[in-house]
Amino acid sequence: MPDIFVATDKQTDTPIQPESKPLDLDKPLFLENTNAEDVKPQKSHLFSSFYKNPRGIFVKNQEKDEKILLFIRRAMVTNFKWIFVSIIFLLLPPLAYLFVNFGGQIISFPIRYIIFFLLFYYLIIFSYIYVNFITWYFNISFVTNIRVIDIDFSGLIYKNVAVTKLSLIQDASFIQSGAVRTFFDYGDVYIQTAGTHSNFEFEAAPQPANAVHIINDLIGKKNGNH
């Protein structure tokens, strides 16, 4: 597994004041006048796809004064297709066995050949599941108070890490088309950089409007400081 981010073993919880209210995850995580740096850190979990100020996560070569403001991974619902296909293929052998018995047919292959075939068959299926899961799990994007980091991980042999400073970003926008993307609130976020620098794309990012709002707010601060 590539060393992309490291979670700390110990967490330091900030005491909650009596007048504080619990975070409602069904509501937007930002207000028009809310800064990303001011949002209370959130503890991420294994299947986190969108977190502001994630707690317990660090990027490799993170600078001393650098803070992770946004953690993005493809929306969990995008895994439905390969999960559904995997379940179908996992159930095929027992369904085929029931069908053969129901039809009164007799399988003449030796049992050792059948066992070998099943082991090989399920090895392929579990390899398919493993590759799809780690491809989703390790394709991550980070937005910090200094830079944007986009990590593209494909299969077991390809990894590309692209980094740009906030001062080089000109604009951020998103596209959310289709009923499925609208219903589950995910879309593609595009970050336009200056000059010859590569543009960034966060594919199938959850809460794309929220992400664009945060990035554009950071761009405005950086531009205002110069």
Side-chain angles (χ1 to χ4, degrees):
M1 293 289 183
D3 182 14
I4 296 177
F5 63 87
V6 181
T8 56
D9 292 331
K10 296 182 179 180
Q11 307 292 340
T12 302
D13 296 329
T14 303
I16 301 177
Q17 300 299 327
E19 65 273 16
S20 299
K21 297 182 179 179
L23 179 63
D24 187 355
L25 296 180
D26 294 329
K27 296 181 179 180
L29 294 179
F30 71 91
L31 299 175
E32 291 299 328
N33 297 323
T34 301
N35 297 326
E37 297 92 332
D38 299 332
V39 177
K40 181 182 177 181
Q42 302 175 5
K43 184 178 180 180
S44 62
H45 54 78
L46 180 64
F47 301 110
S48 302
S49 292
F50 184 96
Y51 270 88
K52 294 178 66 175
N53 287 354
R55 184 176 61 183
I57 292 180
F58 302 91
V59 296
K60 195 172 183 179
N61 301 323
Q62 184 172 341
E63 299 181 17
K64 185 177 180 181
D65 58 343
E66 186 174 14
K67 298 179 181 178
I68 299 178
L69 304 179
L70 189 60
F71 170 99
I72 298 176
R73 183 188 278 136
R74 285 206 325 263
M76 185 63 184
V77 69
T78 60
N79 295 319
F80 175 79
K81 182 178 179 180
W82 66 262
I83 291 176
F84 178 77
V85 171
S86 300
I87 293 174
I88 294 298
F89 279 97
L90 287 173
L91 295 177
L92 273 181
L95 290 177
Y97 177 77
L98 293 175
F99 176 78
V100 169
N101 284 346
F102 180 77
Q105 302 179 22
I106 300 176
I107 300 177
S108 59
F109 291 106
I111 187 65
R112 62 178 181 272
Y113 291 159
I114 296 177
I115 293 176
F116 177 79
F117 171 78
L118 288 176
L119 290 175
F120 182 72
Y121 176 85
Y122 280 113
L123 177 63
I124 294 176
I125 300 303
F126 283 114
S127 298
Y128 172 78
I129 295 173
Y130 177 74
V131 170
N132 276 277
F133 174 76
I134 65 172
T135 299
W136 169 79
Y137 186 79
F138 286 110
N139 272 278
I140 304 172
S141 301
F142 296 97
V143 178
T144 76
N145 59 326
I146 297 176
R147 54 184 173 163
V148 173
I149 305 169
D150 185 29
I151 302 170
D152 292 325
F153 185 83
S154 179
L156 300 173
I157 58 176
Y158 177 81
K159 182 179 75 171
N160 179 52
V161 180
V163 182
T164 188
K165 294 183 178 179
L166 287 177
S167 58
L168 297 177
I169 297 177
Q170 293 183 329
D171 184 46
S173 60
F174 75 95
I175 296 178
Q176 187 182 59
S177 59
V180 174
R181 291 192 169 209
T182 302
F183 180 80
F184 290 102
D185 192 19
Y186 71 92
D188 299 328
V189 175
Y190 298 94
I191 299 177
Q192 182 179 354
T193 56
T196 59
H197 294 82
S198 301
N199 295 329
F200 286 71
E201 179 181 354
F202 303 161
E203 295 182 356
Q207 305 181 38
N210 200 350
V212 169
H213 172 88
I214 294 170
I215 295 171
N216 283 329
D217 183 61
L218 292 171
I219 295 173
K221 288 183 178 180
K222 288 296 179 181
N223 292 338
N225 291 337
H226 294 287

